[in-house]
Structure formats: structure tokens, C-alpha cells
Amino acid sequence: MSDDPDGVAGYMQRAKQQALANVEHVAEGTAAETLPEGTLFEIAQSIGDRQLEELNVADTTCGYCAVGCRFDLYSDGEEVLAARPTDDEDAPVNGISTCVKGKFGYDFVDSDDRLTSPLVREDGEFRVATWDEALDRVAEGLGDIRERHGGDALSVIASSKATNEENYLMGKFARQVLGTNSVDNCNRLCHSSTVAGLAKTFGYGAASVSVEDLETTDCYLLTGSNTTEAHPVIATRIKQNVRDGADLLVFDPREVQIAEYATQYSRVDPGYDAVWINGIIRHVVNNDLHDEQFVAERTTGFEAVKESVQEFTPERVEAETGVPPEEIAAAAETIAAADTCVFGWTLGLTEHSHGTENVMAMANLAAVTGNLGKPGTGVSPFRGQNNVQGGGGDMGPLPDNFPGYQDVADDEVRAKFEDAWDCEISPEYGHYTTQMFLAADEGDVRGMYVIGENSALSEPGVNHAEDVLADLDFLVVQDLFVTETARYADVVLPACSFVEKTGTFTNTDRTVQMVKQVMEPKGDSRPDWKILQDLARRMGRDWDYDSTAEIMAEVNSLTPLYGGVTHERVDAEGGLQWPCWDEDHPGTKRLYADEFDTDDGLAHLHAVGYSEPAETPDETYPFTLTTGRVLYQYHTGTMTHREEGIMEYTPSDFVEIHPETAAEYGIESGDPVRVESERGAITVPAQVTDRVGPETVFAPIHFADSAVNRLTDEERLDPGAATPEFKVSAVRIAPADDAAASSPTPGETPADDAGTGTGDD
Ligand SMILES: Nc1nc2c(c(=O)[nH]1)N[C@H]1C(S)=C(S)[C@@H](COP(=O)(O)OP(=O)(O)OC[C@H]3O[C@@H](n4cnc5c(=O)[nH]c(N)nc54)[C@H](O)[C@@H]3O)O[C@H]1N2
Ligand SMILES: Nc1nc2c(c(=O)[nH]1)N[C@H]1C(S)=C(S)[C@@H](COP(=O)(O)OP(=O)(O)OC[C@H]3O[C@@H](n4cnc5c(=O)[nH]c(N)nc54)[C@H](O)[C@@H]3O)O[C@H]1N2
Ligand code: SF4
Ligand SMILES: [Mo]
């Protein structure tokens, strides 16, 4: 403990204000993506070393996004006081930088409204309960449904905020204890189409590159990625390399900040990505710019791709996507001329009713230009949540896969897990997250265990999600706060955050890194793995783990990809990239150096035809709404809304409207605007900006009282991956005063209710 904790805390408070002001200044000037490298650390470093010696310290991994920054966290036992750079070698991704969230976003840990004890519902209200009572109720509530309707009537949403070890247990709990394959997580709302598309073409549903490749490549094609705001530290790496001469091609409907650094920026209409990507492939192959040797030796399916792209003539691409022929040609030629190229993307490519096809088109482009498996080349979907790669995928809390992407339908694999877990497992896949909510309408899902996911705001079509949550026979929510989702629960279990527990996260380039406890769990909250263990025991299973290292040992024995990923090694080696088959394997920096992970070792290219959004603008709803993030806020705000400095700078959502469109409607920046789709309406202040095109509007996803998912649709899903079409909805806009006078439309009532009722966090 510090002999002067108040002094340190006070210093940090001032440092935060100073740093946030600095960010804002930078944002207006040149770069909102990250603080100038080192600035924050300088601030933190100037806290006297004498004082820091008295504090708890742990070298750990950031719990916000999947970049996977590492740093030392300092705590006085009550709150997190500072983040400082850790030894460079132990921070392979970030070195000494972080963004503002990793540096300062810790007020939520000690906030007054943290859940510190279990809650149970009685006469419609929550009351505090002991752990024994709450866990008994959960065991009874879930057990009852299992008995009456079978395990398939239950589903689990696992948490990509939690550690690998905890997510392994979430999958095991669903299958062994509840008897259901319906376990899924936020990857479904995010990159599941990436996983599906890449698995089908190359074998692994993950980035093939290392962050090192992102620093050294000669060329980037970036699309659907607001890199500076969503993956700030990676953006810093890219910008540095571009300054050193690399080409950067950005395709995005919004001229996001990374576009300022681009050697070519092309505005695309939302929802037609396979079209322009196929157009680039067409230009490449028709001009013999492809890598013939790579195509011949390492791929199958090239001829079919070559034939299928012929329909995407420059004229057609321009008509469908708005990208002029010369920009398609220039991009194709830049990629073909570069020695090495990285293809980077995020949700702009995936959150569509045809996201998997978009990803496969991108994979085709990477393959035909020979940009795989060599240093500086590869595919790089920047993953989202801090642990969605590991916890959301590798650990197998998935309806169709066990840990390590082992197929549930494969008899041999299933037998292995049935044997290890001493249970019977159905060969039928369970429901994906988005399908759980649809299945509940049919009475096929009656109980849910939602861990670290705020579905009442993050699912598509939340007017529908709310109805489902309200109608479930039994709902248990395990979170740090009484979230919008928890308000529907029968029992709420208080979990603790990554600063209060030990385990591992896996970042966007497959690096497994240590997460270390720096303070005791707040109040009576407990780490997810301990809660799951208590519950499993109450429900008849003798789980007996003493530590997350023991859980990882079980993962090692059942999951070839993680065969050698022990805590001991991860800690000693400062991170380990999968596949890592055994104790002696060094880990894998770059996938596909020699072969692809397919039966014949070749990349399987698939022809991708024309696709368009499932909903397109019409006379009533003439604009395309696309949705996403801002730098300072994180998702549904449970963590960032409790950070005063952050709230000062981004106090609400907004809607970006092009100046011409705004003029037409008589809207000025700051005016309240009603944005309305067939499903609902929200009112948010306007931000008039030419970042968007005249027919597109953009709104962030961060606030409950303007929940943008009232406008999105729960039924428009990618047919294979079940990812929602978050990036395209047809909407109309109106100044809020005029709109109030207009006639009511479907969805208006729930939206308005929510506007007054649920915005308190
Ligand atoms: N600050 C912050 N950082 C985060 C998060 C956060 O909440 N806050 N969340 C994390 C998570 S879980 C994730 S998944 C990532 C997401 O990271 P991103 O995907 O970069 O985040 P979004 O804001 O959703 O941005 C999507 C981008 O796609 C563009 N876009 C929209 N529609 C289309 C389209 O049809 N085609 C193309 N090509 N582009 C389109 C948008 O203009 C935007 O630039 O961020 C992670 N990092
Ligand atoms: N319209 C639209 N909707 C979207 C998106 C979009 O781009 N547009 N993006 C989608 C994407 S990519 C994502 S990833 C989702 C994100 O949606 P969510 O995952 O629902 O969003 P979060 O707010 O990150 O919710 C995480 C929850 O976990 C809790 N938590 C944090 N740490 C822990 C822990 O260690 N244990 C437990 N038990 N709980 C913890 C937090 O308090 C929080 O309530 O949103 C999706 N929704
Ligand atoms: S870039 Fe991501 S991992 Fe790094 S500090 Fe920011 S939120 Fe954390
Ligand atoms: Mo995500």
C-alpha cells in the first residue's frame, strides 16, 4: 500500500484531465487515434517511484480491445491508479503506447454502482442475496427447464471480455452441465463471417499475420475498419509505416481518419463490398497481374474465380458501389506492384447479410496476388473484444465447435470430449446467438445464462430482444453491473473484471498473453471461473480447479492448437502465438508459410457472385444508416460511461449527416434529429460532416437512450455465419421537432419508452 495513496490518486486525476484535453486537441488537429506515443506514460512516470513501490503492481493485458496492449497496472487495493509501460519484449504489440482506454479507463472497477453481491428477484424487484441462495436459485431455475424441456431449451451467451480459461468452462458448462450445444458469444455479432469465410478458403478462421507484418508490409488494403478509433495502437503502427513509404488503400463509406493517411481513399456505398473487390480481382487477372506461380502451386479454384469476376466490369462496379473505374484500376495495380501486401478489415466487411461472401472475395484477392504466408503479407481481420479470438473462438464456446475449432458433428472428436467430460453430447449444432433470440419466439429456447454480454443493447433489433428477455422462463445474468440486460434477469451474479483475476487473453494476431490480478475482487464479486465452478458443483458435477493454470492444463490436453500454451510458458516467453502444438513448439508467427490448413494443403478459392444488402433504401426510407464506434467509448458503455473525463468529451451518440442533406432538411450540427427505420426510432444530435456521403448516415452504438439497435433488424442474417446486417438499414431522418408532429410508425412506442426509461448509465 502506498503511504500516500491520496497523493497518487490526486495526481492521476489531474494527469487524466491533462491527457484527455491533450487527446481532444490532437483530435482536432491531426490524429484522434492515440495519444502521441509515450505522452501518457510520461505523465504516469512522473508519479514518484518511491510512491509506486508501495503499490500492488502486475504486468497484464488490456481488457478493452483485441489489439492486446500490455502494461504494468498499479493499484492501491481500492482502485487502479496507473498504467505504465512494461518491458518492451513483454509488450510485442504496443511497446510503450496505449490508447486512452487502456491508459485511463479504470474508474468502472471501483465505481459506486459495481455489483458487489448477488441479486434475486422477489415480487418483481431485486433484493440482495447470499451467494448460496442465488446459486441455488440458478441451479433450480436452469435445472427445472432442463428437466421439463431438455437441455436444448437452454442457451448460454459466453463473454469475450472474460479469460480463455473462463470461456473454456462456459463451453464445458453448457455441454456437460446443461446438456446443450447452444453456447455462443459476441463473435456472432462481429467477425463470425470472417471466421467462416477464412476457414472455408484457408483453413483457420483467424488473422494469418503477426503485428510485425503490419509494421513492415509495402502495401495495405484496408476496408470497413475505422482503425484509428477502434484499433488505435495498430493504426499508429500502420501510419508509421506509411510515413516510411508504404502504400495505404482505404475503401470505406466514411472518410474515417485513417483515410487521411491513405495514398488512395475510395468512398464505397455500404453493402456492396464483394462487388468492388471482385472488380479489383477482375482488373488483376485480366491484365495478367496475378501471381501465377502462387496460384498454380498453392491454390485451387482460380479458373472459377476468374470466370465469376468477369461480370464485375468497371462500369458496373461504379454503378453499384460508386467507385470510379480509375480507382479500381489504380488499387489493383498498386497491390500487384507491391512486393508485399496486407489485407485488413473489420466490421464494414462482415456485419452484412452476405459478410461471409465479402470475406471470401477478399481472401481470393489475397490469394491471386500471392500475398499469403510470406513476411509482410497476409489477411488481417482486426478482432474486436479483448478476448474474442481466444475466448470467443479458440476456447469453443460455440454451437458447432469444441475448443480449437474441433467439429461437434465429428464422431471421433465428440467421443473425445464425451470421454473427457463424462457426458453425452448431441451431434446437432446448437443455436447461434442471433438465432437464440429467434428460437425463443418459437418456445425452443426458454432459459438463458448471459455472461458478460449486454444483449439488450447489442443484439440486432433490440425491441425484439427485449421482448425475448422479458418472456424467458428463466434468465441469469453474470456481469459487473446491473446492465440493461440484467434488468430482465431472475438472478444477477456479480462477476469481477480483468484487473481482479488471473488467466490469459488471446489477441488479434493469435498471441496468448497473461492477465494478472492487481487487486482483490470488489465486494463479494467473484471471477467467472469460480462462479461457474460453484454452479457446476451444485448441478451435480465435481469440478475442482484450484487455479486458471489448472484449467489451461485441461485445455492443453484437449486442444491441439493450444497443446503447448501453458501459463508457465506464456508468462516466461511474454506471449505465445497459436498454433502451438506441444511444449517444444515455438508457436506460429505467420500462418500458411508452407501449406494451408485444408485437406490438400492448398487454398480453396470459391467464386463469389453478386450480392446486395437485404434491405435497400426506398421512397419512405431513403437513406442508408451504418453504425459503429468512437474512440473514447466502448460498446454499451458499461465500462467507459463511468469514466468522467471520457463522458465530458463524448456525452452522447449522434448522427453524421452530409452537409447537402442537412441543408435540404434544415438541420444544423447539434440539432436533435429523429432517425427512423421500419422497426423503430431514436433521437440524437446531428453532426453535419462530409465524412459520410449524401445518401449515408452514421450513428454510434454507445448509449442506451439512443440505442441504435432499435433501428436494426434481427432477421437479416448472413446465411452461414448468422451475423446481422448491422452495417445497413434503410432509414428516414427529420428534425426532431417536425418528427414529433408526424404520424406514429411501428416501433415508435418502444423506442420512446426506452428513451426515457433506460438511459441512466
Ligand atoms: N473505441 C472503441 N474501440 C473498439 C470497440 C469500441 O466499442 N470502442 N469495440 C471493439 C470491437 S468488439 C470491434 S468488433 C472493433 C470494430 O472495429 P471497426 O469495425 O473498425 O468499428 P466500426 O466503428 O464498427 O467501424 C466499421 C467501419 O466500417 C465502415 N463501414 C460501414 N459500412 C460499411 C460497408 O458496407 N462497407 C465497408 N467496406 N465499410 C463499411 C465504417 O465507416 C467504419 O469505418 O472495435 C474494437 N475496438
Ligand atoms: N448496431 C450495431 N450493433 C452492434 C455492433 C455494431 O457495429 N453495430 N457491434 C457488435 C459487436 S462487434 C459486438 S462485439 C457487440 C458488443 O456487445 P456486448 O458484448 O454486449 O457489449 P459490451 O458493452 O462490451 O458488453 C460486455 C459486458 O461484459 C461486462 N464485463 C466486462 N468484463 C467482464 C468479465 O470479466 N466478466 C463478466 N461476467 N462480465 C464482464 C461488461 O460490464 C458489459 O456489460 O455489439 C454488437 N452490436
Ligand atoms: S488499443 Fe485496445 S488493447 Fe490497446 S490500450 Fe487501447 S483499448 Fe487497450
Ligand atoms: Mo466486436
Side-chain angles (χ1 to χ4, degrees), residues 89-90 92 564 567-576 580 583 585-587:
E89 278 175 25
D90 287 341
H567 278 201
E568 206 179 357
R569 278 190 71 190
V570 171
D571 201 15
E573 296 175 32
L576 204 47
C580 174
E583 281 281 336
H585 191 277

Side-chain angles (χ1 to χ4, degrees), residues 186 190 347 384-385 629 635:
C186 71
C190 185
L347 306 182
Q385 291 274 29
R629 294 151 172 77
H635 292 159

Side-chain angles (χ1 to χ4, degrees), residues 186 188-190 347 350-353 434 457-462 625-629 699 701 708-709 712-713 716 723-729:
C186 71
R188 198 60 49 199
L189 310 178
C190 185
L347 306 182
T350 64
E351 287 181 341
H352 292 284
S353 57
T434 39
L457 290 180
S458 57
E459 278 294 308
V462 292
L625 166 75
T626 188
T627 59
R629 294 151 172 77
I701 58 173
V708 78
N709 281 325
T712 57
D713 183 6
R716 281 186 279 128
T723 315
E725 198 160 62
F726 280 136
K727 291 296 186 255
V728 174
S729 301

Side-chain angles (χ1 to χ4, degrees), residues 82 134 183 233 269 289 344 358 366 396 459 478 481 509 520 541 551 586 633 641 651 664 752:
V183 52
V233 168
D269 294 337
L289 299 173
N358 290 346
E459 278 294 308
Q478 184 165 308
F481 300 99
D509 76 352
E520 290 301 312
R541 293 291 178 167
I551 304 169
Q633 291 294 353
H641 291 188
E664 202 183 305
D752 289 346

